[in-house]
Structures are given as C-alpha cells and as structure tokens.
Amino acid sequence: MSDGIQNVLVIGAGTMGAGIAEVAAKAGCSVRLFDVSAEVLEAGKARIERSLAKAVEKGKLGADAAEATRARITYAGEYGDVAGLDLVVEAVPEKMELKKQIFSELSAGNPTCILASNTSSLSLTEIAAACQDPSRVLGMHFFNPPPVMPLLEIVEAEQTAPEITARVRAFAARIDKSPIVVRDMPGFATSRLGIILGMEAIRMLEQGVASAADIDSAMELGYRHPMGPLKLTDLVGLDVRLAIAEHLTRELGPQFTPPPLLRMLVRAGKLGAKTGEGFYKWVDGKAVPKK
Ligand code: 3HC
C-alpha cells in the first residue's frame, strides 16, 4: 500500500530527532525539523551533516543523494504550517505533560495527519487521549543511531486505527526499517529488556564485579552484543535511561530500580557521550576507559 506520507514534521532536534529527520529525508520526504532551542537546532543540523558525510564515506549513500537529502530538510524554531503535514514524529524529552500538550495542539491544527511519538516507554494511550482524534496516534520508536539501526518499534495505543498502523508499516519499508508491532505496555518490547540489562550492569559495577570495560567485553565477546550495556548507556544518555528506569519502576516494579551510581552520575552532569563522560570518557567520539 502507499503510505501517503510526504510532508513530515519532526519535533525535537536532539540525537533522535535529528536522526529521524535524516532517515525520512533520505527516503524522499520533505522534512521540517523543529526545536524551541536555536542551539539544539544548530547541533542537530551539525549531527545530520556529520552523519551524511559518514554515510558517503562508508559507501552507503552517493554524494548526489546526500545533497538531495540535505536539500529536503528545513530547520525551524516554529511548527509553521501544520495543515499540510502527513506525519509528525515527536522526539522531545520523556515528559508526559509536554507530550500531551504537543499532541493536543497538533491534532487540533490538522485533522488527518499521523501523530507519532518516539517515546521509549510512556503510554501512547494516555498521549492519544489528549487528542481530538486519538485514532491517528501511535508510537514510532527509533533506535540510536537512527540512520544505522534497522528496527522500528510501532506501538499501538488502545485507540490507534488499524489503517494508521498499516500506513506506518508501509512507511517503515520506505525508510528501510524492519517494523515490529507491539501493544502499549510500559517499556514495550525493547526498553523493557534493554533497561534490565543496563541497570544490572551498573549494579555489577557498583559491587566491584569487574571494570566497566570488562563488563562490556563480557557482553560484546561472550554474547556478541555490538556494544556492552555500559557503553550503550553512555551512547543513549544516562539521563534518558534514568528517566525510563524510573518510569518502569513505577509501572512494572522494583526490578527496574535505578542504582545510586546512575543517579549520582546524572546529578554530576556526566550524561555519557553527549557531555564527554559517563561510564567512560569520550574522546573524538570514542569511549576511553576511566582510571
Ligand atoms: N549512515 C548510514 N550508515 C552508517 C552511518 C551513517 N551515518 N554510519 C555508519 N553506518 C553504517 C556503516 O557503514 C556500517 O555498515 P556495515 O555494517 O554494513 O559495514 C554500520 O553502520 C556500522 O558502522 P560503523 O562501522 O561506523 O560503526 P560500528 O561498527 O562501530 O558500530 C554502532 C556503531 C552501530 C553504534 C554499534 O556499536 C551498535 O550497533 N551499537 C549498539 C547500538 C544500540 O544498541 N542502539 C540502541 C540503543 S537503545 C535506543 O536507542 C532506544 C531509545 O529509546 C533510548
């Protein structure tokens, strides 16, 4: 089926928003990338530039295609014309009230467009309930780095219309992602498992089981994970993982409780790769074990 998606608005120009904008533009969509912060927008643009350059360097994209992708993305400090949009993907911090406000505003401004959230764990059903037409709301959960990771986790709210899921499935094929469709349960199919592994790895570090690098090597070399759970937490952002763990603890139980070490590093502003330090130091994009 044709997904009917041409004009896309991505809300939030952080790591995920910028990556999602790049992926949609590569597939031929006209993309507006919005952020309230001019600084974040600028950083998002630089991230896309770096990623396109790397894709060309790695032979994943021709130079012409990269140029055409660049030309399809505009950067905006306002939503602009929402009436002409076919798809909105929201990728703002994990704050329910903020998401509800964004979705309610957009659903009032456009009666037909698909409204998707990139949330890692929050309830799509609750977000949808804030909308005039909740049947157009669903989760489109991308993975970091979005241009590389092949999965798209489609999360159906209680209210999502089957036709909306079908169109997003078709869109997934267009953007070269493999979709899975999951029910709106906290943590879906991915974060629920990923967070358990991440939190347990931090507890092991606290207990002195092994160094961060050796805990990661255990999973990389023993289980063939592309990246160990502590390095991955640095990549995703310690603040992001803490917010998900707190939410899943409230919703599902104490097995998700974030360890004190995670809270302490977040309080210290050591959020991982994006701030230059988390469980590792990050130098020129590479993780260096801490002494
Ligand atoms: N555009 C397109 N392709 C690119 C690219 C780009 N900008 N950059 C790299 N690639 C391709 C490369 O060509 C390569 O392809 P190949 O395997 O066919 O040769 C592949 O991507 C890997 O790239 P690199 O060789 O440069 O990098 P690494 O081999 O070091 O892999 C990594 C980096 C992909 C980040 C890998 O370490 C990995 O998969 N880590 C785990 C990531 C992960 O688990 N993410 C999920 C996090 S959870 C999440 O996001 C959920 C959220 O809600 C919090």
Side-chain angles (χ1 to χ4, degrees):
M1 80 179 277
S2 153
D3 57 54
I5 294 172
Q6 180 53 36
N7 294 315
V8 178
L9 169 66
V10 179
I11 300 180
T15 310
M16 297 307 290
I20 295 164
E22 178 188 332
V23 163
K26 249 189 235 161
C29 295
S30 300
V31 181
R32 200 181 310 146
L33 179 57
F34 161 89
D35 204 289
V36 279
S37 155
E39 205 179 308
V40 173
L41 206 54
E42 200 51 47
K45 186 174 183 181
R47 178 179 290 278
I48 293 173
E49 286 299 330
R50 276 198 307 277
S51 176
L52 289 175
K54 190 165 177 191
V56 171
E57 181 202 320
K58 293 254 177 189
K60 299 278 163 181
L61 199 67
D64 289 354
E67 195 45 49
T69 301
R70 259 182 217 109
R72 288 188 203 106
I73 307 175
T74 53
Y75 298 86
E78 289 175 2
Y79 290 165
D81 166 34
V82 295
L85 294 171
D86 304 309
L87 169 69
V88 176
V89 184
E90 163 275 311
V92 303
E94 294 287 69
K95 294 184 181 137
M96 179 54 89
E97 289 315 310
L98 175 61
K99 289 181 195 268
K100 279 185 183 169
Q101 186 200 327
I102 291 170
F103 277 72
S104 130
E105 214 174 294
L106 285 164
S107 72
N110 181 318
T112 55
C113 103
I114 299 174
L115 300 168
S117 174
N118 178 54
T119 180
S120 306
S121 62
L122 298 181
S123 168
L124 276 310
T125 303
E126 188 175 342
I127 296 173
C131 295
Q132 277 190 5
D133 174 7
S135 73
R136 290 182 282 125
V137 174
L138 83 181
M140 283 175 76
H141 187 200
F142 288 82
F143 295 83
N144 189 356
V148 176
M149 301 304 283
L151 180 66
L152 179 68
E153 186 173 43
I154 300 176
V155 186
E156 287 187 309
E158 277 306 300
Q159 307 94 324
T160 309
E163 178 241 346
I164 298 293
T165 305
R167 285 177 61 196
V168 170
R169 261 186 187 281
F171 184 66
R174 230 176 102 201
I175 59 174
D176 210 17
K177 301 292 176 205
S178 300
I180 58 169
V181 178
V182 304
R183 273 183 62 208
D184 183 25
M185 292 290 285
F188 320 133
T190 50
S191 304
R192 190 162 169 170
L193 289 171
I195 290 290
I196 283 283
L197 192 64
M199 295 306 116
E200 203 53 32
I202 300 169
R203 271 187 272 280
M204 287 164 62
L205 186 64
E206 278 181 340
Q207 291 165 11
V209 172
S211 67
D214 281 354
I215 292 171
D216 280 344
S217 291
M219 287 295 106
E220 289 164 13
L221 305 178
Y223 281 67
R224 284 210 186 202
H225 288 193
M227 194 178 248
L230 296 168
K231 210 179 288 169
L232 184 60
T233 302
D234 271 10
L235 178 76
V236 169
L238 274 65
D239 51 337
V240 174
R241 285 210 129 176
L242 175 60
I244 303 171
E246 284 175 332
H247 175 69
L248 294 183
T249 306
R250 282 191 299 272
E251 295 283 336
L252 296 174
Q255 66 272 37
F256 292 95
T257 305
L261 176 59
L262 178 61
R263 286 187 193 287
M264 195 268 282
L265 288 168
V266 170
R267 283 200 186 112
K270 294 176 180 176
L271 307 181
K274 63 188 168 189
T275 60
E277 185 176 345
F279 294 104
Y280 292 81
K281 293 234 189 229
W282 287 79
V283 182
D284 298 331
K286 297 257 176 294
V288 179
K290 293 207 263 188
K291 295 282 172 290

